């Protein structure tokens, strides 16, 4: 009950006189940072023009997801090798390198997911409107 009262107090003190307009940002980290800033400054309205669909995904996290997908394909190819093909031997340098890379990608993906969660949390109490283009904002 105390937390609910505090949230209501904060929401009542927000300003509707200022509207933050974001146009075609491409990195999810930028969205998250701006949402957190608006939340902390008491800005209520955020208007977003244009892409992307994955608002909270950064370019780096999308790239990392593609790398992890490629790694899965490599592992599947290693499983399907014929016995007389040169394979990746357990414990070999190539095997250790793939394992290190896979672990690093998993750790980075977890950090990106945590960052996106914070951005979503900051946006929870904001009034966010999406527009396809500038004409939609002006019209």
């Amino acid at each position: 009950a105390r937390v609910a009262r505090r949230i209501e107090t904060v929401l009542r003190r927000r300003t509707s006189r200022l509207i933050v307009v974001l146009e075609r940002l491409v990195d999810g980290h930028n969205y998250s940072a701006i949402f957190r800033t608006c939340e902390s400054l008491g800005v209520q309205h955020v208007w977003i023009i244009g892409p992307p669909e994955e608002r909270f995904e950064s370019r780096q996290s999308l790239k990392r997801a593609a790398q992890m997908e490629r790694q899965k394909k490599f592992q599947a190819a290693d499983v399907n090798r014929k016995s007389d093909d040169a394979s990746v031997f357990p414990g070999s340098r190539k095997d250790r390198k793939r394992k290190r890379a896979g672990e690093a990608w998993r750790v980075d993906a977890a950090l990106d997911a945590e960052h996106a969660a914070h951005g979503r949390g900051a946006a929870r109490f904001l009034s966010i409107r999406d527009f396809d283009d500038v004409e939609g904002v002006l019209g």
Side-chain angles (χ1 to χ4, degrees):
R2 180 178 175 208
V3 174
R5 282 194 309 266
R6 183 174 172 100
I7 290 172
E8 289 173 7
T9 302
V10 169
L11 290 175
R12 268 188 266 121
R13 291 183 180 170
R14 290 199 174 204
T15 182
S16 293
R17 295 179 181 178
L18 177 67
I19 297 173
V20 174
V21 179
L22 309 176
E23 184 176 5
R24 301 190 192 288
L25 297 180
V26 294
D27 195 345
H29 290 293
N30 293 340
Y31 281 103
S32 298
I34 292 168
F35 291 160
R36 288 192 309 267
T37 302
C38 289
E39 180 75 25
S40 66
L41 294 176
V43 174
Q44 181 63 45
H45 302 289
V46 178
W47 291 0
I48 300 171
I49 303 171
E53 290 76 30
E54 296 94 11
R55 181 171 301 146
F56 296 100
E57 296 289 329
S58 68
R59 285 178 291 192
Q60 196 63 20
S61 64
L62 294 172
K63 181 178 171 184
R64 193 173 303 110
Q67 289 172 334
M68 291 174 74
E69 198 61 38
R70 275 198 307 273
Q71 185 187 29
K72 288 179 186 176
K73 288 180 184 177
F74 287 146
Q75 289 172 345
D78 287 342
V79 169
N80 294 325
R81 286 184 186 270
K82 295 179 183 176
S83 59
D84 58 347
D85 285 344
S87 62
V88 177
F89 296 105
S92 68
R93 190 168 82 186
K94 192 172 189 178
D95 182 51
R96 290 191 309 269
K97 183 178 177 182
R98 283 187 183 177
K99 286 181 181 177
R100 279 193 309 272
E103 183 58 31
W105 291 333
R106 279 188 289 279
V107 168
D108 287 347
L111 288 172
D112 278 347
E114 183 180 343
H115 181 80
H118 289 300
R120 285 186 196 96
R124 186 170 67 184
F125 295 110
L126 297 174
S127 299
I128 298 175
R129 290 184 59 193
D130 288 304
F131 297 92
D132 292 328
D133 52 23
V134 176
E135 286 78 25
V137 173
L138 299 176

